[in-house]
Amino acid sequence: MSWVSKTLNSTLGKKLLMALTGLFLILFLVVHLAGNLQLLLPDEGKSFNIYAETMASNPLIRAVSIFNFGFIALHAIYSAILTRHNKKSRPVGYAMTKGSANSTWSSRNMGILGSLILVFILIHLRGFWYEFKFGEIPYVTYEGVTYKNGYAVVSAAFENILYVIVYVVSMAVLAFHLSHGFSSAFQTLGINHKKYTPFIQKVGVGFAILVPALFALIPIIMFLQSS
Amino acid sequence: MNLTLKVWRQKNPSDKGGFKTYTISGISSDMSFLEMLDVLNEDLSDKGEDPIHFDHDCREGICGMCSLYINGQPHGPQQTTTCQLHMRSFSDGDTITIEPWRASAFPILKDLVVDRSSFDRIIQAGGYISVNTGGVPDANEIPIPKVISDESFDAATCIGCGACVAACKNASAMLFVSAKISQLALLPQGKVEKRERAEKMVAQMDAEGFGACTNTGACAAECPKEIKLSNIARMNREYFSASLSTENV
Amino acid sequence: MKLDSKIPSGPLAEKWTRHKFNVKLVNPANKRKYEIIVVGTGLAGASAAASLAELGYNVKAFCFQDSPRRAHSIAAQGGINAAKNYQNDGDSVFRLFYDTIKGGDYRSREGNVYRLAEVSVNIIDQCVAQGVPFAREYGGLLANRSFGGAQVSRTFYARGQTGQQLLLGAYSALSRQVANGKVKLYPRTEMMDVVVVDGKARGIITRNLVTGAVESHSAHAVLLCTGGYGNVFFLSTNAMGSNVTAAWRAHKKGAFFSNPCYTQIHPTCIPVSGDHQSKLTLMSESLRNDGRVWVPKTKAIAEKLRKREIAPKGIKEEDRDYYLETKYPSFGNLVPRDVASRNAKYVCDEGRGVNETGEAVFLDFRDAILRDGEDAVRGKYGNLFDMYEKITGENPYKTPMMIYPAVHYTMGGLWVDYNLMTTVPGLYALGEANFSDHGANRLGASALMQGLADGYFVAPYTVGDYLAGLPYDKIPEDHPEFRKAEETVKSRIQQLLGIKGSKTVDHFHKKLGKIMWNHCGMARNAAGLTKAKEMIRTLKEEFWSDVKVLGTGEELNLSLEKAHRVADFLELGELMIDDALHRNESCGGHFRDEYQTPEGEALRDDENFAYVAAWEYLGEGKEEALHKEELVFENVKLTQRSYK
């Protein structure tokens, strides 16, 4: 299978991996958002807790989540490899550059944006995923069945204003990352067409605003509810 | 107008190099940017200083020989070649920073002159249709839809100046390579060997040490010939489908 | 020495076919034993190098630019002629031949020109096969336009960038052979001399422009495809680096130089804007298809225009003089280049020029825009209009363009026979570097045709014919002749660097250009030429005693490169004047004030001057010797050109 590694090791192949993993993560965001929005339902976390338990016990979802972690890692590792490669391609930089004349700020700073998102993911995993899985967690019983009360963990966390700020800022970072990443992934896959590309770009911008905004809304509302 | 110029001076490829500042006066707004440098060079020569070396030839914006990274942009503030940039784009009292193209695949030879032979080697890797002289069919035997021919032409207008590489934060040559791959892949004559062409040209591009693409679009925004980003998408398609379908295991 | 043009016998239409059959062939297995040097990588050079390499010869290709793709052929805008008759408008090989001979004012060889017309059709096929995206009709077939004085539509084009597309086609063919290992490329390398051993060209001396290294290259044949010498005028449409050095060094090694005075002044260039000007920009002649040339009828109105008191738009129809349309009703704005240029000079000399310098006429698209709409005009000329606006800051859709003639092409060049071989055996000249096909004036869209004809379809046959009679062994590069030539080159470099004078190279080049333009330009006369010759001699002496060349010879040194070229231009300038002075007639790109018809048209003297002037270099400081190759016309009748 040398041709596979040859292709994937080319600059185009590496970008292909970035695009494919990126698109998967975009899909993941939608699913994740759909689940999380249940935190805002006026049922004291019942729907959310049931949903969380279902997700954790479904073998298919578990498999997908392993892939998800893998893709996040691949996306990050390949971006590091590409960044290193790109730095080597211009060992001596310019004394003066005027990037704003030819490109958007987020497109030029995907690495920084991505790194910030990675830090956020680690904080996020430590705060919730780790707590849900390994932490001491209260239980709750609905219709005779006992569930982990994840909702309680989340609402406790978002009582802390600092935590809320971290989340909101991170979602802004995600928005910028997506504002370039969404349509860029299609371009890398070779999808560029007079008819469809303007549409993809519009959807990309819409997605980049809507999805992080809804994510950010959750801590804000929960914080307001708590106080 | 009077100007201050900050110019990169480097004696030879191994010299470290650095910026030197010059002041110049009496520049007319009708001059081209290179004519302004000619005036400076005449001044320098009169004073016995080595003139600033820069590449240029046709001065009509077509040969692709002129380069220069001017005030943070390849070919300066207009979307054109340096030789077609006129001093009316600047104002009296401006400070202008002039640097060479920066890329490991474009080593500096002297001052603002860089070696772009990496581009030639990429073309040599496959940027052609393999036909010998003579023995070809009549030109009108291959009808080509006008829109396809025009699109191919748009890609073919690349002058190989390297502004795309210079503009790209990754020093990537994707726009240059994709323009040639597109031009030939669109034409029926070029379709015959389009898969091998894409594989070989991309491999050579990587071997030369050009960067990868972040799709910032800076290359197309700065390209003096307005080569479009859709060419890069086409190259990606051609390359991926080639690696899936050719028999080169 | 009697010049033998080696035109094959037999009927005109069969000469080339017969000749191709009669040339000696080199066995395919033996081709790889021969080495061929090609200097220059423009249309002629790149196509020759690629085609010879495809045949199996080992080729070394040299260019002074950083890449073969930059050669100045790239700047040709308008198109390439071919007698395809795709438009069913009565074109044929014979008509293209006839138009070219007539356009050249009957100063070219019938045999060569017919061959050019004959292979023109193959060129288009070849270029399309290479992927050159010529303009097409909606049905998918190739489009044509009428161009530069032709009454049939035989010009193939790729927007306003035909030269670029054709050169990139040839460059791609060349690149393929580089990849095959059959061509070795030497970019940023300038030819400094030809090496002649036992009367045959056996190699060249080069200077690596980056390291300054002077090197020898031995071969079995040397092809000079080094373009024209228009830069002798300093201001021209040529690239800054275009030069005569290779051809001139060959000339000094025994190659005769022909018709150097035939200079094409292109009528549609952007006028000079000031002293800082480093080059002139051509606007494609195709603009004359739709643009109308005019100046005000009176001096008074022109003066107001020059002072910017009135706008061109404000000038009433009855005050406009569409002088080409009035004077030449059947050709109108499409008269050949020399006629259009000279008439622009006349109206400006009368004081009717329209810009500040008084040296410009209008090229107006108002009526074309009214007739076809702005979009149609943009479709045809968009890139040219943009270019004009970038350079002048004026929008030609709104206000008429201003144009003025500028030096564009040199019909003269190294004398070659039918095989494109110079008077030095084994030394060939192709493309603009030779004198062969355009006579005293080149028609529009014929330069690209000739460059590619020579490179793709002529040289590959004729060079083989020569090589077939040559032993395989190469002259070693340490042969005394190589050593001697290297030493000469090195000592000349030292000489130039050692002068340490007070004036820059450009100073001399500009001065030479002015002398040439004023006295050997659009119109010449004996008094002016005689004066100019003295001026050049003085300038030359001044150059060799007072030029300032900074830096060293062992590095990238642009002023040293230029100094070499200007030194050769100074010598060429003198020969051009000798040639112009001796040719007591007016023809094509050579107009002598003393020889004109009562209407002011060129007056040829077929009885005394129907010959090719071939000049032989006899040594430093000596007058060159004139040799004449009589031109024989068996198939066309010599007539006074008339475009009325």
Side-chain angles (χ1 to χ4, degrees), chain C residues 309-328:
Chain C
E309 289 169 8
I310 46 168
K313 269 189 160 174
I315 298 172
K316 290 198 283 292
E317 204 56 32
E318 61 265 30
D319 290 333
R320 300 177 174 203
D321 179 7
Y322 295 95
Y323 57 90
L324 290 177
E325 294 171 27
T326 332
K327 211 164 159 188
Y328 308 99

Side-chain angles (χ1 to χ4, degrees), chain B residues 152-153 155-156 178-187, chain C residues 130-133 165:
Chain B
S152 168
F153 182 90
S178 68
K180 186 51 76 180
I181 288 180
S182 279
Q183 178 209 339
L184 299 178
L186 281 160
L187 298 171
Chain C
Q130 284 170 348
V132 171
Q165 293 309 314

